[in-house]
Amino acid sequence: MRESGQTSLSPEEWSQWTELTKKIQFVDGKIPLEAFYAWSESFYTVAVELVPFRLVNGELEILLINRRDPYFDGYHTPGSILVPEKDTNEVMADLIVRELGPKARVKYLQFAKYYETMKGDGLGQSPRGQQINLVYTALIEGEVLEGEWFSKDRLPANIIPAFRIMIPEIFNLAKQNFIIAALIAFST
């Protein structure tokens, strides 16, 4: 929705935009950060979120990564934007290698839920723009590259707003999914 006094592009500017958009080439799944931010502020993006858990003395802990950039300052889960020419499986494989590292083993991975994040600065919102988050839970063993492990009752206060609602809900979903997976494995 346009703010008062803001005008749309002229027909000539739309034509220029269309021609420039056709020239976009993703290199290693990326475009210049400034271009990504401009796109994100104007259009929906789709993110693949990996929510890693581990079991410690029978209790789940979640891996969160501290992030600082022009839009976010705080903890979040590992994630990546879905870009052309990659599907969710490829993005997830990249996330596991890039964010968890070679010593981490994924014992169980399952799609959990999607969240729609609206643009804004409030709880469950993102200042960067509207986004669909495809959330996958994973049970991890071994050492991870970065991040900190937290139990549900000791989550950090500075979780970025877009994740403050999602993370507690995903804890409950993960527990249910992991119990069901264990029951299925035990019964076979």
Side-chain angles (χ1 to χ4, degrees), residues 24-33 35-37 39-40 44-49 79-92 94-95 98 128 131-132 134:
I24 294 174
Q25 297 291 315
F26 286 81
V27 177
D28 295 325
K30 298 181 181 197
I31 58 174
L33 202 53
F36 170 71
Y37 288 155
W39 178 270
S40 296
Y44 262 94
T45 55
V46 177
V48 177
E49 303 293 345
S80 186
I81 298 298
L82 192 60
V83 296
E85 299 178 12
K86 285 203 175 195
D87 62 23
T88 55
N89 292 327
E90 292 171 301
V91 172
M92 184 58 65
D94 290 348
L95 270 173
R98 186 180 69 245
R128 189 174 67 198
Q131 184 168 294
I132 300 290
L134 304 174

Side-chain angles (χ1 to χ4, degrees), residues 40-41 43-47 49 72 81 113-135 160-167:
S40 296
E41 289 177 2
F43 300 97
Y44 262 94
T45 55
V46 177
E49 303 293 345
F72 302 111
I81 298 298
K113 187 174 182 174
Y114 84 91
Y115 286 88
E116 185 173 12
T117 305
M118 300 302 288
K119 185 174 181 171
D121 293 320
L123 184 64
Q125 296 180 327
S126 171
R128 189 174 67 198
Q130 288 182 248
Q131 184 168 294
I132 300 290
N133 300 287
L134 304 174
V135 180
I160 62 174
F163 288 78
R164 285 188 198 144
I165 295 171
M166 181 183 79
I167 288 173

Side-chain angles (χ1 to χ4, degrees), residues 16 67 70 86 97 105 144:
Q16 291 171 345
R67 175 178 186 164
K86 285 203 175 195
V97 170
R105 292 178 311 284
V144 296

Side-chain angles (χ1 to χ4, degrees), residues 17 34 40 46 51 54 58 60 64 66 69 74 79 81 86-87 104 114 147 151 155 165 167 183 187:
W17 179 86
E34 299 80 17
S40 296
V46 177
V51 186
R54 70 177 180 182
L60 284 177
L64 298 177
N66 202 8
D69 65 32
I81 298 298
K86 285 203 175 195
D87 62 23
Y114 84 91
S151 63
L155 291 171
I165 295 171
I167 288 173
L183 289 172
S187 68

Side-chain angles (χ1 to χ4, degrees), residues 3 45 49 55 63 65 71 76 118 124 130 150 163 180:
E3 294 179 25
T45 55
E49 303 293 345
L55 276 173
L63 179 71
I65 296 171
Y71 291 96
H76 70 100
M118 300 302 288
Q130 288 182 248
F150 297 94
F163 288 78
I180 291 168

